Amino acid sequence: MSGFDDSDFIRLLEIVEQTEKERRSGTAFPKSTDADGYGDYAGDYDRVVSGLIFACDGPDLIYGNVYIQNGIICEIEELRGSQMKSHNWIVPRFVNAHTHIGDTLLKDPPLGSEISPYAYRRDLDSLVRPPNGLKHRFLSDLSTEESVDSMESAIWNMYQNGISVFADFREGGVAGVSALIEASKNAARDIHPIIFGRPLLSAPRIPNSSDIMSSHMFLDELRDLLELADGIGVSGANDMDEYVLAKIASKTQSKRKKLAIHAGEKDRSDIDSALSLDPDLLIHMTHAEKNDLKKAADANIPITVCLRSNLVTGVGLPPVLDMLDAGISVSIGTDNIMLNSPDVFEELHFLSKIYGITDSALFKMATVNGANALGCRFTGSIEVGKKADMMVLNSKSLNLKHVKDPLAGFIRRADTADILGIV
Ligand SMILES: [Zn+2]
Protein backbone atom coordinates (compact mmCIF):
# COMPACT_ATOMS: atom_id res chain seq x y z
CA MET A 1 0.00 0.00 0.00
CA SER A 2 1.24 3.45 -0.80
CA GLY A 3 -0.32 5.15 2.21
CA PHE A 4 -2.01 7.58 -0.20
CA ASP A 5 -5.63 7.57 1.02
CA ASP A 6 -8.83 9.31 -0.05
CA SER A 7 -8.17 12.42 2.02
CA ASP A 8 -4.77 12.87 0.33
CA PHE A 9 -6.43 12.49 -3.03
CA ILE A 10 -9.05 15.13 -2.22
CA ARG A 11 -6.30 17.46 -0.96
CA LEU A 12 -4.36 16.90 -4.19
CA LEU A 13 -7.41 17.74 -6.28
CA GLU A 14 -7.90 20.93 -4.24
CA ILE A 15 -4.30 21.98 -4.90
CA VAL A 16 -4.62 21.30 -8.61
CA GLU A 17 -7.90 23.19 -8.78
CA GLN A 18 -6.55 26.16 -6.79
CA THR A 19 -3.40 26.37 -8.90
CA GLU A 20 -5.42 26.28 -12.10
CA LYS A 21 -7.82 28.95 -10.77
CA GLU A 22 -4.90 31.19 -9.82
CA ARG A 23 -3.26 30.64 -13.18
CA ARG A 24 -6.39 31.57 -15.04
CA SER A 25 -7.16 34.61 -12.89
CA GLY A 26 -3.60 35.85 -12.96
CA THR A 27 -3.32 35.90 -9.15
CA ALA A 28 -0.60 33.28 -9.30
CA PHE A 29 1.44 35.96 -11.01
CA PRO A 30 1.47 38.43 -8.17
CA LYS A 31 1.34 42.12 -8.77
CA SER A 32 2.10 43.05 -5.18
CA THR A 33 5.54 44.12 -4.07
CA ASP A 34 6.10 41.42 -1.51
CA ALA A 35 5.50 38.20 -3.30
CA ASP A 36 6.88 37.85 -6.78
CA GLY A 37 7.80 41.36 -7.55
CA TYR A 38 5.46 43.43 -9.63
CA GLY A 39 5.13 46.58 -7.80
CA ASP A 40 5.92 49.94 -6.46
CA TYR A 41 9.42 49.02 -5.54
CA ALA A 42 10.23 49.08 -9.25
CA GLY A 43 11.31 52.61 -8.37
CA ASP A 44 12.13 54.57 -11.50
CA TYR A 45 11.08 51.71 -13.73
CA ASP A 46 7.67 50.58 -15.04
CA ARG A 47 7.92 47.08 -13.80
CA VAL A 48 10.13 44.61 -12.00
CA VAL A 49 10.05 40.83 -12.21
CA SER A 50 11.83 38.77 -9.58
CA GLY A 51 13.01 35.19 -9.41
CA LEU A 52 15.60 32.89 -10.89
CA ILE A 53 16.65 34.63 -14.11
CA PHE A 54 17.85 32.62 -17.12
CA ALA A 55 20.08 35.49 -18.25
CA CYS A 56 22.04 35.95 -21.48
CA ASP A 57 22.71 33.19 -24.01
CA GLY A 58 24.44 30.68 -21.71
CA PRO A 59 22.15 30.95 -19.91
CA ASP A 60 23.59 32.28 -16.64
CA LEU A 61 21.20 31.34 -13.88
CA ILE A 62 21.06 34.12 -11.31
CA TYR A 63 18.62 35.15 -8.64
CA GLY A 64 17.51 38.74 -8.83
CA ASN A 65 15.28 41.37 -10.37
CA VAL A 66 14.71 42.33 -13.98
CA TYR A 67 13.75 46.00 -14.29
CA ILE A 68 11.70 47.01 -17.31
CA GLN A 69 10.99 50.42 -18.79
CA ASN A 70 8.83 50.90 -21.90
CA GLY A 71 9.07 47.18 -22.59
CA ILE A 72 12.89 47.18 -22.60
CA ILE A 73 15.12 45.47 -20.02
CA CYS A 74 16.95 48.33 -18.29
CA GLU A 75 18.68 46.59 -15.45
CA ILE A 76 19.31 43.10 -14.09
CA GLU A 77 20.03 43.15 -10.38
CA GLU A 78 21.68 40.07 -8.91
CA LEU A 79 20.65 39.06 -5.40
CA ARG A 80 21.32 36.10 -3.16
CA GLY A 81 18.76 33.29 -3.47
CA SER A 82 18.08 33.48 0.26
CA GLN A 83 17.01 37.13 -0.17
CA MET A 84 14.41 36.21 -2.78
CA LYS A 85 10.74 35.82 -2.00
CA SER A 86 10.08 34.38 -5.43
CA HIS A 87 11.88 31.39 -6.86
CA ASN A 88 9.85 31.43 -10.07
CA TRP A 89 11.87 30.98 -13.24
CA ILE A 90 12.18 33.98 -15.53
CA VAL A 91 12.99 32.67 -18.98
CA PRO A 92 13.25 34.32 -22.42
CA ARG A 93 10.28 33.59 -24.64
CA PHE A 94 10.81 31.17 -27.52
CA VAL A 95 11.43 31.95 -31.16
CA ASN A 96 9.45 29.54 -33.34
CA ALA A 97 11.58 29.79 -36.47
CA HIS A 98 9.29 27.94 -38.88
CA THR A 99 5.50 27.65 -39.01
CA HIS A 100 2.63 27.40 -41.47
CA ILE A 101 -0.37 28.65 -39.54
CA GLY A 102 -2.53 28.99 -42.66
CA ASP A 103 -3.60 25.35 -42.25
CA THR A 104 -4.98 25.81 -38.72
CA LEU A 105 -8.42 24.60 -39.86
CA LEU A 106 -6.96 21.33 -41.13
CA LYS A 107 -5.63 20.03 -37.83
CA ASP A 108 -4.70 16.35 -37.66
CA PRO A 109 -5.64 15.10 -41.12
CA PRO A 110 -5.25 11.45 -42.13
CA LEU A 111 -1.50 10.94 -42.58
CA GLY A 112 -1.76 8.66 -45.62
CA SER A 113 -3.55 5.57 -46.79
CA GLU A 114 -4.25 2.79 -44.30
CA ILE A 115 -2.02 -0.21 -44.91
CA SER A 116 -3.57 -2.27 -42.14
CA PRO A 117 -6.33 -1.76 -39.56
CA TYR A 118 -3.74 -0.17 -37.27
CA ALA A 119 -1.23 1.68 -39.49
CA TYR A 120 -0.91 4.38 -42.14
CA ARG A 121 1.60 4.62 -44.96
CA ARG A 122 2.72 8.20 -44.40
CA ASP A 123 3.08 10.31 -47.49
CA LEU A 124 4.54 13.80 -47.29
CA ASP A 125 3.72 14.79 -50.88
CA SER A 126 0.04 13.90 -50.60
CA LEU A 127 -0.18 16.12 -47.52
CA VAL A 128 1.71 19.28 -48.34
CA ARG A 129 3.34 19.38 -51.78
CA PRO A 130 2.06 22.19 -54.01
CA PRO A 131 -0.11 22.45 -55.97
CA ASN A 132 -2.23 19.32 -55.34
CA GLY A 133 -1.31 18.20 -51.82
CA LEU A 134 -4.21 18.04 -49.34
CA LYS A 135 -3.14 21.30 -47.71
CA HIS A 136 -3.15 23.29 -50.94
CA ARG A 137 -6.51 21.93 -52.07
CA PHE A 138 -7.89 22.86 -48.66
CA LEU A 139 -6.36 26.35 -48.62
CA SER A 140 -7.68 27.20 -52.07
CA ASP A 141 -11.26 26.70 -50.80
CA LEU A 142 -10.82 28.77 -47.65
CA SER A 143 -12.54 32.16 -47.38
CA THR A 144 -10.50 35.16 -46.27
CA GLU A 145 -12.58 35.41 -43.11
CA GLU A 146 -11.97 31.77 -42.19
CA SER A 147 -8.31 32.20 -42.92
CA VAL A 148 -7.93 35.34 -40.78
CA ASP A 149 -10.01 33.95 -37.88
CA SER A 150 -8.15 30.65 -37.74
CA MET A 151 -4.72 32.28 -37.93
CA GLU A 152 -5.71 34.69 -35.17
CA SER A 153 -6.44 31.74 -32.87
CA ALA A 154 -3.12 30.14 -33.84
CA ILE A 155 -1.26 33.35 -32.93
CA TRP A 156 -3.05 33.51 -29.57
CA ASN A 157 -2.18 29.84 -29.04
CA MET A 158 1.52 30.55 -29.72
CA TYR A 159 1.48 33.55 -27.39
CA GLN A 160 0.13 31.33 -24.60
CA ASN A 161 2.84 28.78 -25.40
CA GLY A 162 5.53 31.33 -24.58
CA ILE A 163 6.50 32.29 -28.12
CA SER A 164 7.64 35.87 -28.84
CA VAL A 165 8.48 35.59 -32.55
CA PHE A 166 7.25 33.17 -35.20
CA ALA A 167 8.40 32.91 -38.80
CA ASP A 168 5.60 31.82 -41.08
CA PHE A 169 5.72 30.46 -44.61
CA ARG A 170 2.53 32.06 -45.86
CA GLU A 171 0.94 30.51 -48.87
CA GLY A 172 -1.54 32.30 -51.13
CA GLY A 173 0.46 35.18 -52.58
CA VAL A 174 -0.30 38.79 -51.63
CA ALA A 175 -3.78 37.91 -50.31
CA GLY A 176 -2.29 35.24 -48.05
CA VAL A 177 0.27 37.66 -46.59
CA SER A 178 -2.40 40.34 -46.11
CA ALA A 179 -4.59 37.84 -44.24
CA LEU A 180 -1.74 37.04 -41.83
CA ILE A 181 -1.05 40.74 -41.24
CA GLU A 182 -4.76 41.20 -40.51
CA ALA A 183 -4.81 38.18 -38.15
CA SER A 184 -1.76 39.54 -36.27
CA LYS A 185 -3.46 42.91 -35.82
CA ASN A 186 -6.65 41.25 -34.59
CA ALA A 187 -4.79 39.01 -32.16
CA ALA A 188 -3.21 42.19 -30.74
CA ARG A 189 -0.77 40.21 -28.66
CA ASP A 190 2.83 40.99 -28.01
CA ILE A 191 4.04 38.42 -30.51
CA HIS A 192 5.98 39.32 -33.61
CA PRO A 193 5.38 37.63 -36.98
CA ILE A 194 8.12 37.31 -39.59
CA ILE A 195 6.24 36.66 -42.80
CA PHE A 196 7.74 34.75 -45.71
CA GLY A 197 5.33 35.13 -48.63
CA ARG A 198 5.09 32.82 -51.60
CA PRO A 199 4.12 33.96 -55.10
CA LEU A 200 0.92 32.27 -56.27
CA LEU A 201 2.31 32.03 -59.77
CA SER A 202 5.25 29.96 -58.62
CA ALA A 203 3.09 27.25 -57.05
CA PRO A 204 2.32 25.49 -60.30
CA ARG A 205 5.19 25.83 -62.75
CA ILE A 206 4.67 28.79 -65.00
CA PRO A 207 3.43 27.02 -68.13
CA ASN A 208 6.06 28.57 -70.32
CA SER A 209 8.64 30.69 -68.62
CA SER A 210 9.58 32.45 -71.78
CA ASP A 211 5.98 33.59 -72.16
CA ILE A 212 6.23 37.36 -71.73
CA MET A 213 2.76 37.74 -70.21
CA SER A 214 3.16 35.11 -67.51
CA SER A 215 6.65 36.31 -66.76
CA HIS A 216 5.43 39.89 -66.24
CA MET A 217 2.55 38.78 -64.07
CA PHE A 218 4.91 36.73 -61.92
CA LEU A 219 7.39 39.61 -61.55
CA ASP A 220 4.60 42.05 -60.63
CA GLU A 221 3.34 39.66 -57.99
CA LEU A 222 6.85 39.12 -56.64
CA ARG A 223 7.37 42.89 -56.39
CA ASP A 224 4.09 43.37 -54.48
CA LEU A 225 4.90 40.49 -52.19
CA LEU A 226 8.33 41.86 -51.35
CA GLU A 227 6.74 45.22 -50.49
CA LEU A 228 4.42 43.57 -48.00
CA ALA A 229 6.31 40.60 -46.52
CA ASP A 230 9.61 40.20 -44.68
CA GLY A 231 10.85 37.87 -47.37
CA ILE A 232 10.02 34.92 -49.58
CA GLY A 233 9.55 31.33 -48.37
CA VAL A 234 10.15 28.82 -51.15
CA SER A 235 8.41 25.45 -50.82
CA GLY A 236 11.35 23.65 -52.39
CA ALA A 237 13.77 23.94 -55.30
CA ASN A 238 12.14 20.95 -57.05
CA ASP A 239 8.72 22.63 -57.02
CA MET A 240 9.56 25.37 -59.53
CA ASP A 241 11.75 25.99 -62.52
CA GLU A 242 15.15 27.64 -62.57
CA TYR A 243 13.87 30.91 -64.02
CA VAL A 244 11.39 31.37 -61.17
CA LEU A 245 13.93 30.40 -58.51
CA ALA A 246 16.60 32.71 -59.89
CA LYS A 247 14.20 35.66 -60.08
CA ILE A 248 12.93 35.06 -56.56
CA ALA A 249 16.49 34.94 -55.21
CA SER A 250 17.76 38.02 -57.06
CA LYS A 251 14.70 40.21 -56.41
CA THR A 252 14.59 39.24 -52.74
CA GLN A 253 18.25 40.05 -52.36
CA SER A 254 17.98 43.38 -54.16
CA LYS A 255 15.08 44.41 -51.90
CA ARG A 256 17.21 43.40 -48.88
CA LYS A 257 14.51 40.99 -47.77
CA LYS A 258 15.06 37.42 -46.53
CA LEU A 259 15.00 34.25 -48.59
CA ALA A 260 14.11 31.02 -46.79
CA ILE A 261 13.67 27.64 -48.42
CA HIS A 262 12.63 24.10 -47.50
CA ALA A 263 15.46 21.75 -48.48
CA GLY A 264 16.30 18.08 -48.07
CA GLU A 265 13.03 17.24 -46.35
CA LYS A 266 12.08 14.10 -48.24
CA ASP A 267 15.44 13.33 -49.87
CA ARG A 268 18.57 15.31 -50.75
CA SER A 269 17.67 15.97 -54.39
CA ASP A 270 16.86 19.67 -53.85
CA ILE A 271 19.74 20.57 -51.53
CA ASP A 272 22.31 21.63 -54.15
CA SER A 273 19.83 23.91 -55.91
CA ALA A 274 18.72 25.38 -52.60
CA LEU A 275 22.30 26.10 -51.53
CA SER A 276 23.08 27.67 -54.91
CA LEU A 277 20.48 30.37 -54.20
CA ASP A 278 22.51 31.49 -51.14
CA PRO A 279 19.40 31.67 -48.95
CA ASP A 280 19.25 33.38 -45.55
CA LEU A 281 17.67 30.35 -43.93
CA LEU A 282 17.34 26.64 -44.74
CA ILE A 283 14.40 24.68 -43.36
CA HIS A 284 14.61 20.94 -42.51
CA MET A 285 17.81 19.57 -44.19
CA THR A 286 16.59 16.18 -42.92
CA HIS A 287 18.57 14.31 -45.58
CA ALA A 288 21.61 16.58 -45.64
CA GLU A 289 24.97 14.84 -45.79
CA LYS A 290 28.09 16.10 -44.07
CA ASN A 291 29.31 17.73 -47.26
CA ASP A 292 26.03 19.65 -47.62
CA LEU A 293 26.32 20.82 -44.05
CA LYS A 294 29.90 21.93 -44.62
CA LYS A 295 28.71 24.06 -47.54
CA ALA A 296 25.94 25.56 -45.43
CA ALA A 297 28.39 26.25 -42.60
CA ASP A 298 30.95 27.81 -44.97
CA ALA A 299 28.24 30.09 -46.37
CA ASN A 300 27.08 30.90 -42.83
CA ILE A 301 23.51 29.77 -43.55
CA PRO A 302 21.48 28.89 -40.44
CA ILE A 303 19.16 25.87 -40.40
CA THR A 304 15.77 25.47 -38.75
CA VAL A 305 14.89 21.89 -37.83
CA CYS A 306 11.31 20.69 -37.42
CA LEU A 307 11.76 17.36 -35.69
CA ARG A 308 8.17 16.53 -34.78
CA SER A 309 7.03 17.44 -38.27
CA ASN A 310 9.64 15.07 -39.75
CA LEU A 311 8.43 12.35 -37.41
CA VAL A 312 4.78 12.86 -38.33
CA THR A 313 5.44 12.79 -42.06
CA GLY A 314 7.82 9.86 -41.68
CA VAL A 315 10.66 11.44 -43.68
CA GLY A 316 13.38 10.57 -41.17
CA LEU A 317 15.45 12.25 -38.50
CA PRO A 318 17.44 15.39 -39.33
CA PRO A 319 21.20 15.12 -38.60
CA VAL A 320 21.07 17.72 -35.84
CA LEU A 321 24.31 16.65 -34.16
CA ASP A 322 26.17 16.84 -37.49
CA MET A 323 24.73 20.34 -38.00
CA LEU A 324 26.02 21.40 -34.59
CA ASP A 325 29.38 19.70 -35.28
CA ALA A 326 29.65 21.71 -38.49
CA GLY A 327 29.22 24.92 -36.48
CA ILE A 328 25.82 25.77 -37.97
CA SER A 329 23.41 27.92 -36.01
CA VAL A 330 20.43 25.58 -35.56
CA SER A 331 17.00 26.84 -34.55
CA ILE A 332 13.66 25.17 -33.97
CA GLY A 333 10.35 25.31 -35.84
CA THR A 334 7.04 23.56 -35.29
CA ASP A 335 6.15 23.61 -39.03
CA ASN A 336 2.55 23.05 -40.17
CA ILE A 337 0.04 23.58 -37.42
CA MET A 338 -2.13 20.91 -39.08
CA LEU A 339 0.57 18.36 -38.19
CA ASN A 340 1.73 19.54 -34.75
CA SER A 341 0.77 21.97 -32.01
CA PRO A 342 2.91 25.13 -32.17
CA ASP A 343 4.62 24.16 -28.94
CA VAL A 344 8.39 24.66 -28.59
CA PHE A 345 8.45 22.88 -25.20
CA GLU A 346 7.38 19.72 -27.04
CA GLU A 347 10.12 20.16 -29.64
CA LEU A 348 12.69 20.53 -26.86
CA HIS A 349 11.52 17.33 -25.16
CA PHE A 350 11.85 15.36 -28.39
CA LEU A 351 15.23 16.90 -29.35
CA SER A 352 16.64 16.25 -25.91
CA LYS A 353 15.45 12.66 -25.72
CA ILE A 354 16.28 11.60 -29.25
CA TYR A 355 19.71 13.22 -29.67
CA GLY A 356 21.02 13.79 -26.15
CA ILE A 357 21.81 17.41 -27.02
CA THR A 358 22.97 19.41 -24.00
CA ASP A 359 20.45 21.57 -22.20
CA SER A 360 22.40 24.77 -22.86
CA ALA A 361 22.67 24.03 -26.61
CA LEU A 362 18.92 23.36 -26.78
CA PHE A 363 18.23 26.55 -24.84
CA LYS A 364 20.04 28.56 -27.54
CA MET A 365 18.30 26.65 -30.34
CA ALA A 366 14.89 27.60 -28.92
CA THR A 367 15.70 31.25 -28.31
CA VAL A 368 18.67 33.30 -29.49
CA ASN A 369 19.61 31.21 -32.55
CA GLY A 370 16.17 31.70 -34.06
CA ALA A 371 16.17 35.40 -33.19
CA ASN A 372 19.51 35.90 -34.93
CA ALA A 373 18.57 33.80 -37.96
CA LEU A 374 15.46 35.93 -38.47
CA GLY A 375 17.20 39.25 -37.89
CA CYS A 376 15.33 39.80 -34.61
CA ARG A 377 18.29 40.66 -32.43
CA PHE A 378 16.01 42.71 -30.17
CA THR A 379 14.79 39.49 -28.54
CA GLY A 380 15.89 35.90 -27.76
CA SER A 381 17.66 36.47 -24.45
CA ILE A 382 17.28 38.31 -21.18
CA GLU A 383 19.88 41.07 -21.46
CA VAL A 384 19.97 44.78 -20.77
CA GLY A 385 18.88 46.66 -23.88
CA LYS A 386 16.74 43.86 -25.29
CA LYS A 387 12.97 43.73 -25.39
CA ALA A 388 11.52 42.18 -22.23
CA ASP A 389 10.13 39.11 -23.99
CA MET A 390 9.98 36.81 -21.01
CA MET A 391 7.81 34.12 -19.48
CA VAL A 392 7.54 33.33 -15.80
CA LEU A 393 7.31 29.66 -14.86
CA ASN A 394 5.95 28.32 -11.60
CA SER A 395 8.90 26.47 -10.05
CA LYS A 396 6.52 25.06 -7.45
CA SER A 397 4.10 23.47 -9.93
CA LEU A 398 3.57 19.74 -9.49
CA ASN A 399 5.61 19.27 -12.65
CA LEU A 400 8.61 21.44 -11.68
CA LYS A 401 8.66 21.00 -7.91
CA HIS A 402 11.76 19.07 -6.75
CA VAL A 403 13.72 19.89 -9.92
CA LYS A 404 17.35 20.22 -8.82
CA ASP A 405 18.78 21.63 -12.05
CA PRO A 406 16.43 24.36 -13.33
CA LEU A 407 17.95 24.48 -16.83
CA ALA A 408 17.56 20.70 -17.23
CA GLY A 409 14.04 20.91 -15.82
CA PHE A 410 13.15 23.73 -18.19
CA ILE A 411 14.45 21.94 -21.29
CA ARG A 412 13.36 18.38 -20.54
CA ARG A 413 10.23 18.69 -18.43
CA ALA A 414 8.60 22.13 -18.40
CA ASP A 415 5.43 22.68 -20.41
CA THR A 416 2.90 25.37 -21.10
CA ALA A 417 0.88 24.50 -17.98
CA ASP A 418 3.86 25.72 -15.91
CA ILE A 419 3.65 29.24 -17.37
CA LEU A 420 2.30 31.67 -14.80
CA GLY A 421 2.47 34.67 -17.05
CA ILE A 422 3.93 36.26 -20.13
CA VAL A 423 5.84 39.52 -19.80
ZN1 LIG B 1 7.50 24.08 -43.73
Side-chain angles (χ1 to χ4, degrees):
M1 295 292 288
S2 66
F4 191 90
D5 61 23
D6 284 356
S7 64
D8 291 320
F9 185 65
I10 290 165
R11 174 76 190 125
L12 180 64
L13 283 181
E14 281 171 2
I15 292 170
V16 171
E17 194 181 3
Q18 184 61 24
T19 306
E20 182 57 17
K21 244 188 234 164
E22 287 177 350
R23 192 172 77 84
R24 288 183 190 283
S25 68
T27 54
F29 196 39
K31 291 184 167 51
S32 69
T33 57
D34 292 337
D36 285 350
Y38 260 103
D40 297 329
Y41 79 111
D44 292 339
Y45 299 109
D46 291 341
R47 200 172 196 190
V48 58
V49 186
S50 305
L52 180 66
I53 306 162
F54 289 47
C56 302
D57 298 351
D60 305 325
L61 267 55
I62 53 172
Y63 279 103
N65 297 322
V66 181
Y67 293 94
I68 302 162
Q69 182 76 27
N70 297 324
I72 304 294
I73 298 168
C74 290
E75 188 184 338
I76 298 173
E77 178 187 27
E78 189 169 353
L79 297 167
R80 280 206 306 278
S82 56
Q83 290 177 279
M84 303 297 299
K85 289 190 171 141
S86 165
H87 285 196
N88 288 335
W89 299 349
I90 307 169
V91 186
R93 284 158 65 193
F94 296 125
V95 174
N96 188 352
H98 184 64
T99 63
H100 302 250
I101 65 168
D103 52 30
T104 299
L105 284 172
L106 192 57
K107 283 179 183 172
D108 308 315
L111 298 175
S113 53
E114 280 187 28
I115 50 172
S116 77
Y118 45 80
Y120 296 112
R121 185 192 312 281
R122 288 175 291 184
D123 181 356
L124 176 67
D125 287 352
S126 74
L127 281 173
V128 296
R129 186 166 187 193
N132 296 320
L134 173 66
K135 180 179 89 166
H136 298 281
R137 284 182 277 129
F138 178 82
L139 290 183
S140 63
D141 287 340
L142 216 55
S143 73
T144 304
E145 194 183 357
E146 288 171 319
S147 177
V148 171
D149 283 354
S150 59
M151 288 193 290
E152 191 183 322
S153 70
I155 294 168
W156 177 219
N157 187 193
M158 285 194 281
Y159 176 79
Q160 288 186 322
N161 289 348
I163 290 164
S164 65
V165 172
F166 67 99
D168 197 78
F169 267 31
R170 189 68 265 268
E171 302 83 358
V174 171
V177 171
S178 302
L180 178 48
I181 292 170
E182 180 72 18
S184 292
K185 279 188 199 148
N186 294 351
R189 297 288 155 191
D190 181 21
I191 174 167
H192 187 74
I194 297 290
I195 306 176
F196 291 99
R198 181 182 299 178
L200 268 179
L201 289 169
S202 73
R205 286 165 189 271
I206 292 179
N208 176 358
S209 303
S210 60
D211 180 303
I212 303 265
M213 265 303 280
S214 54
S215 175
H216 276 189
M217 283 164 63
F218 162 67
L219 291 174
D220 285 351
E221 190 196 11
L222 186 57
R223 183 200 58 219
D224 294 347
L225 214 43
L226 285 167
E227 288 287 317
L228 209 54
D230 298 288
I232 302 293
V234 178
S235 67
N238 289 346
D239 296 343
M240 52 192 69
D241 67 31
E242 280 178 24
Y243 167 83
V244 172
L245 277 176
K247 281 292 172 198
I248 286 176
S250 65
K251 296 284 179 192
T252 305
Q253 208 170 26
S254 70
K255 285 279 180 191
R256 297 181 184 278
K257 297 280 176 113
K258 288 198 173 294
L259 178 67
I261 183 165
H262 291 133
E265 183 179 8
K266 192 180 164 196
D267 53 47
R268 68 165 301 284
S269 64
D270 57 3
I271 290 180
D272 286 329
S273 318
L275 284 169
S276 73
L277 300 172
D278 193 23
D280 297 287
L281 181 61
L282 291 159
I283 314 294
H284 292 306
M285 295 292 270
T286 313
H287 292 273
E289 293 173 358
K290 285 192 177 170
N291 197 34
D292 303 320
L293 297 176
K294 185 176 180 324
K295 286 181 193 164
D298 289 347
N300 213 12
I301 305 172
I303 296 175
T304 298
V305 292
C306 308
L307 176 60
R308 287 186 306 151
S309 167
N310 289 171
L311 289 169
V312 171
T313 56
V315 294
L317 291 173
V320 183
L321 293 175
D322 289 341
M323 294 175 191
L324 295 170
D325 278 345
I328 291 168
S329 174
V330 181
S331 48
I332 295 171
T334 57
D335 211 3
N336 299 73
I337 204 165
M338 72 180 200
L339 301 178
N340 279 297
S341 54
D343 185 341
V344 178
F345 285 111
E346 284 265 291
E347 296 289 337
L348 286 171
H349 298 167
F350 275 73
L351 283 159
S352 173
K353 286 160 182 50
I354 289 176
Y355 296 95
I357 302 170
T358 63
D359 302 317
S360 61
L362 283 169
F363 180 82
K364 292 182 188 75
M365 287 166 64
T367 54
V368 71
N369 288 4
N372 291 345
L374 298 166
C376 297
R377 291 178 192 274
F378 58 83
T379 191
S381 58
I382 299 178
E383 283 178 69
V384 171
K386 285 202 175 183
K387 193 163 171 281
D389 284 336
M390 309 187 299
M391 54 181 148
V392 179
L393 270 67
N394 180 5
S395 62
K396 295 194 180 74
S397 72
L398 293 176
N399 186 32
L400 299 183
K401 195 176 179 181
H402 306 308
V403 164
K404 296 288 182 289
D405 176 344
L407 179 59
F410 173 68
I411 295 295
R412 301 180 215 164
R413 183 179 299 277
D415 61 39
T416 54
D418 298 316
I419 299 177
L420 290 173
I422 304 291
V423 180

mmCIF file of all heavy atoms in Angstrom, residues 98 100 169 262 283-284 335-336, ligand 1:
data_model
loop_
_atom_site.group_PDB
_atom_site.id
_atom_site.type_symbol
_atom_site.label_atom_id
_atom_site.label_comp_id
_atom_site.label_asym_id
_atom_site.label_seq_id
_atom_site.Cartn_x
_atom_site.Cartn_y
_atom_site.Cartn_z
ATOM 1 N N HIS A 98 9.960 28.370 -37.636
ATOM 2 C CA HIS A 98 9.285 27.936 -38.875
ATOM 3 C C HIS A 98 7.878 27.416 -38.581
ATOM 4 O O HIS A 98 7.705 26.459 -37.832
ATOM 5 C CB HIS A 98 10.089 26.845 -39.573
ATOM 6 C CG HIS A 98 9.486 26.454 -40.896
ATOM 7 N ND1 HIS A 98 9.394 27.341 -41.953
ATOM 8 C CD2 HIS A 98 8.922 25.298 -41.328
ATOM 9 C CE1 HIS A 98 8.807 26.745 -42.977
ATOM 10 N NE2 HIS A 98 8.509 25.507 -42.624
ATOM 11 N N HIS A 100 3.636 27.097 -40.437
ATOM 12 C CA HIS A 100 2.635 27.398 -41.469
ATOM 13 C C HIS A 100 1.322 27.433 -40.689
ATOM 14 O O HIS A 100 0.772 26.374 -40.381
ATOM 15 C CB HIS A 100 2.513 26.293 -42.524
ATOM 16 C CG HIS A 100 3.762 25.952 -43.263
ATOM 17 N ND1 HIS A 100 3.941 26.264 -44.589
ATOM 18 C CD2 HIS A 100 4.884 25.303 -42.877
ATOM 19 C CE1 HIS A 100 5.127 25.809 -44.988
ATOM 20 N NE2 HIS A 100 5.713 25.218 -43.969
ATOM 21 N N PHE A 169 5.766 30.612 -43.150
ATOM 22 C CA PHE A 169 5.724 30.463 -44.607
ATOM 23 C C PHE A 169 4.261 30.613 -45.000
ATOM 24 O O PHE A 169 3.459 29.704 -44.787
ATOM 25 C CB PHE A 169 6.242 29.077 -45.021
ATOM 26 C CG PHE A 169 7.707 29.018 -45.339
ATOM 27 C CD1 PHE A 169 8.605 29.854 -44.704
ATOM 28 C CD2 PHE A 169 8.205 28.111 -46.278
ATOM 29 C CE1 PHE A 169 9.972 29.792 -44.981
ATOM 30 C CE2 PHE A 169 9.563 28.045 -46.572
ATOM 31 C CZ PHE A 169 10.448 28.883 -45.929
ATOM 32 N N HIS A 262 12.621 25.491 -47.944
ATOM 33 C CA HIS A 262 12.628 24.095 -47.502
ATOM 34 C C HIS A 262 13.678 23.363 -48.336
ATOM 35 O O HIS A 262 13.707 23.530 -49.562
ATOM 36 C CB HIS A 262 11.296 23.413 -47.825
ATOM 37 C CG HIS A 262 10.117 23.878 -47.050
ATOM 38 N ND1 HIS A 262 8.919 24.173 -47.643
ATOM 39 C CD2 HIS A 262 9.914 24.050 -45.725
ATOM 40 C CE1 HIS A 262 8.031 24.519 -46.723
ATOM 41 N NE2 HIS A 262 8.610 24.457 -45.548
ATOM 42 N N ILE A 283 15.339 25.364 -44.244
ATOM 43 C CA ILE A 283 14.403 24.678 -43.359
ATOM 44 C C ILE A 283 14.520 23.171 -43.601
ATOM 45 O O ILE A 283 14.541 22.730 -44.764
ATOM 46 C CB ILE A 283 12.936 25.092 -43.636
ATOM 47 C CG1 ILE A 283 12.796 26.613 -43.764
ATOM 48 C CG2 ILE A 283 11.995 24.526 -42.572
ATOM 49 C CD1 ILE A 283 13.066 27.411 -42.545
ATOM 50 N N HIS A 284 14.577 22.409 -42.535
ATOM 51 C CA HIS A 284 14.615 20.936 -42.515
ATOM 52 C C HIS A 284 16.029 20.375 -42.687
ATOM 53 O O HIS A 284 16.634 19.963 -41.726
ATOM 54 C CB HIS A 284 13.685 20.303 -43.577
ATOM 55 C CG HIS A 284 12.247 20.494 -43.312
ATOM 56 N ND1 HIS A 284 11.662 20.132 -42.122
ATOM 57 C CD2 HIS A 284 11.243 21.024 -44.071
ATOM 58 C CE1 HIS A 284 10.363 20.414 -42.156
ATOM 59 N NE2 HIS A 284 10.090 20.978 -43.332
ATOM 60 N N ASP A 335 6.675 23.916 -37.692
ATOM 61 C CA ASP A 335 6.154 23.614 -39.029
ATOM 62 C C ASP A 335 4.622 23.688 -39.085
ATOM 63 O O ASP A 335 4.023 24.457 -38.343
ATOM 64 C CB ASP A 335 6.685 22.248 -39.485
ATOM 65 C CG ASP A 335 6.863 22.175 -41.013
ATOM 66 O OD1 ASP A 335 6.641 23.183 -41.695
ATOM 67 O OD2 ASP A 335 7.239 21.104 -41.511
ATOM 68 N N ASN A 336 3.995 22.905 -39.933
ATOM 69 C CA ASN A 336 2.550 23.045 -40.173
ATOM 70 C C ASN A 336 1.748 22.804 -38.893
ATOM 71 O O ASN A 336 1.880 21.764 -38.255
ATOM 72 C CB ASN A 336 2.088 22.023 -41.204
ATOM 73 C CG ASN A 336 2.785 22.205 -42.524
ATOM 74 O OD1 ASN A 336 3.959 21.879 -42.638
ATOM 75 N ND2 ASN A 336 2.079 22.730 -43.506
HETATM 76 ZN ZN ZN B 1 7.504 24.082 -43.731
#
